Amino acid sequence: MRFSRAVIAAACVSLFSLSACSSGPDDSQNSAYQGAYLYGTDGNMANEFGAIFKEQPGLLSGMKGTMPLTELDESFLQRLRSVKPGLKDLLFAGEAYDAVVISALAAQQAGSTEPAKIAKYINAVTVGGTICRTVKQCLTLAEAGRPISYRGVTVRYGFAEAGEPATTSYGTVHFDSANQLDGGKTEYLGTGNERDVTGQKPPTPVKGGTTTKPLTFGGLLPKTGALAYTTPPMEAGALLAVAEVNAAGGVLGKPVKWIDGDDGTSPVKAKATIESHHAAGVQVLIGPGASGVALASLPDSIRYGMVMFSPCNTSPDLTGFEDKGLYFRTAPSDVLQARALADVMLRDGLQKIAIVTHSDNYGKKLAEGVTKELVKAGISEVSVQTYVYQITDGGEVKDEAELTRIASQVVPTRPDGVLVIGYSESAGAIKALAAAGANIRH
């Protein structure tokens, strides 16, 4: 399922004075040029990101973007907020919950908490068995040695062979005049293909089973660094799942455990945390946050024979990574997000687009994907220009002056739309564009 590629010219609302109402490639060069739409992605479309602009009221008003997002029911929201009251965002909360639950079900069906055995059952518990929707129902079936198909908060169909969702849901979200997301404008889009569900015959579930080593999860989420603001909802989802698994009797007769940990939005920090978790007996890592951090630290996880299960990695490079069957994710590949985001931009009638992205794998790969989709839809390759700024291992901007230089290059080209890809540091890119004369219209 895809967004319509129809151009809706009547929907034009100018944002940047850098026009989304362009009817042809030359319109942006005439005196009627009024500005461009501003877009973001899952790395920066969050209330906590908007809070960075407290000194610039309304600067993000009208900015819109896409993110992996499933419409969450009220029961789940209430349970989530009971774990973390005052939660401001929901990004990847459901994905984190499902990652923990799927791992627990896989351990129960494997009859073991050995990571390699758990890994063999992770895809299996999402395909080819009795459909179950609650932790209690699924664990009861698993304990009885029954094949199951878990249908959770975000997993609405089975996993593909690569250990990721075959189908998913995206949300198109909008910032309001208070630099906060306007929930009333959120639209949901189903995408992916059910035919991509793994066709491998699942292993036979083990009935019953006990263990001397309880299933232990190790948090590998960005509690610090440029993605720190995304951790609260993921942590809430993971802790809720741990609590509900234990309320349902645990795994193999023992309560499951959670050991906190930080990936620091940094490969160096992530590797140190993985080493610490290994020493503590962790079998399943939940995280990391950034795709670049995952690509850099996954070899360490594999070396220790641990399962790495991320709720938020989206880089396409992770799909074919030589992971020895130990890497999984509940977040979809950015191959799907690139399509959704390009379609949102095309519906606004764009003809000339500037993409400003950080240098992490996540940003560069998503920029490439969006460009590919726009060109496939008929936009000229020369009409999509990408500008890359460098970030540190911790996800911070290496050189603020580089943002100023990029902004001074983007503004005179007068694009119809500007897509900013990054984490919290991308706020600096938006501020630089405004400082360079990009008049944001509301």
Side-chain angles (χ1 to χ4, degrees):
M1 183 176 178
R2 300 273 298 275
F3 278 118
S4 166
R5 292 199 183 277
V7 174
I8 307 176
C12 294
V13 179
S14 298
L15 296 178
F16 257 103
S17 182
L18 293 176
S19 162
C21 299
S22 171
S23 60
D26 296 325
D27 284 2
S28 62
Q29 302 303 317
N30 64 35
S31 59
Y33 177 74
Q34 296 181 17
Y37 286 106
L38 178 62
Y39 301 90
T41 65
D42 53 287
N44 53 27
M45 296 299 293
N47 289 316
E48 293 282 21
F49 180 78
I52 298 172
F53 295 84
K54 60 184 178 182
E55 303 301 326
Q56 295 89 18
L59 184 65
L60 302 183
S61 181
M63 178 180 177
K64 59 184 171 181
T66 58
M67 63 174 70
L69 189 65
T70 300
E71 192 165 10
L72 303 174
D73 66 45
E74 190 58 36
S75 170
F76 180 73
L77 291 175
Q78 288 179 2
R79 283 150 46 214
L80 197 66
R81 287 174 174 137
S82 71
V83 172
K84 199 171 284 287
L87 199 60
K88 295 180 180 178
D89 287 298
L90 299 172
L91 183 60
F92 297 122
E95 285 84 355
Y97 176 91
D98 282 344
V100 170
V101 172
I102 288 171
S103 301
L105 295 174
Q108 183 65 54
Q109 287 218 316
S112 172
T113 57
E114 293 180 28
K117 292 183 179 180
I118 293 172
K120 289 180 180 179
Y121 282 83
I122 286 179
N123 286 349
V125 300
T126 71
V127 297
T130 301
I131 291 177
C132 56
R133 303 183 186 280
T134 68
V135 171
K136 179 65 176 177
Q137 180 188 20
C138 293
L139 274 176
T140 299
L141 291 169
E143 287 169 0
R146 297 269 301 277
I148 60 174
S149 292
Y150 173 68
R151 297 291 175 264
V153 178
T154 63
V155 178
R156 303 296 173 86
Y157 213 73
F159 268 21
E161 191 172 328
E164 60 192 29
T167 66
T168 191
S169 173
Y170 280 95
T172 304
V173 294
H174 306 247
F175 278 109
D176 62 18
S177 59
N179 293 335
Q180 295 290 284
L181 298 182
D182 183 348
K185 290 185 177 179
T186 300
E187 300 173 277
Y188 295 91
L189 165 74
T191 189
N193 196 322
E194 295 176 0
R195 289 177 295 182
D196 291 335
V197 169
T198 179
Q200 287 189 344
K201 184 179 179 180
T204 303
V206 175
K207 184 177 180 180
T210 58
T211 182
T212 57
K213 296 180 180 179
L215 177 61
T216 304
F217 294 95
L220 191 62
L221 299 173
K223 299 174 78 68
T224 58
L227 273 176
Y229 68 94
T230 67
T231 289
M234 290 191 285
E235 195 168 61
L239 293 176
L240 174 62
V242 167
E244 293 190 350
V245 167
N246 285 337
V251 169
L252 300 173
K254 291 191 181 333
V256 303
K257 297 181 179 180
W258 174 269
I259 298 178
D260 208 11
D262 180 19
D263 78 10
T265 322
S266 162
V268 174
K269 177 64 176 177
K271 290 179 179 184
T273 300
I274 289 171
E275 184 176 0
S276 173
H277 280 330
H278 173 65
V282 166
Q283 299 103 346
V284 180
L285 300 164
I286 299 299
S291 294
V293 173
L295 288 163
S297 64
L298 184 49
D300 291 66
S301 175
I302 293 169
R303 178 162 53 88
Y304 287 128
M306 305 165 79
V307 171
M308 180 181 282
F309 204 148
S310 176
C312 55
N313 293 162
T314 57
S315 172
D317 285 353
L318 286 160
T319 297
F321 196 94
E322 292 295 331
D323 60 6
K324 296 187 178 180
L326 292 171
Y327 176 80
F328 302 87
R329 57 181 171 183
T330 38
S333 165
D334 272 333
V335 167
L336 299 179
Q337 179 162 208
R339 294 173 187 169
L341 185 55
D343 282 329
V344 169
M345 298 167 78
L346 288 163
R347 288 200 296 175
D348 290 333
L350 274 58
Q351 295 293 324
K352 182 187 285 188
I353 299 101
I355 301 176
V356 180
T357 178
H358 66 199
S359 56
D360 185 71
N361 178 276
Y362 157 74
K364 291 193 292 186
K365 286 296 180 179
L366 184 51
E368 289 173 10
V370 171
T371 299
K372 179 181 177 181
E373 293 296 328
L374 291 170
V375 171
K376 279 169 59 178
I379 302 296
S380 167
E381 250 184 280
V382 298
S383 296
V384 185
Q385 294 295 317
T386 298
Y387 306 80
V388 181
Y389 60 90
Q390 301 301 308
I391 58 173
T392 66
D393 282 345
E396 304 298 333
V397 176
K398 276 189 176 180
D399 181 7
E400 295 290 341
E402 186 176 29
L403 297 180
T404 301
R405 289 194 297 271
I406 288 174
S408 69
Q409 293 169 352
V410 171
V411 173
T413 68
R414 304 202 298 182
D416 300 323
V418 178
L419 168 62
V420 179
I421 306 174
Y423 307 140
S424 63
E425 94 297 330
S426 65
I430 295 173
K431 292 178 181 181
L433 286 166
N439 179 29
I440 299 177
R441 297 176 55 180
H442 311 297

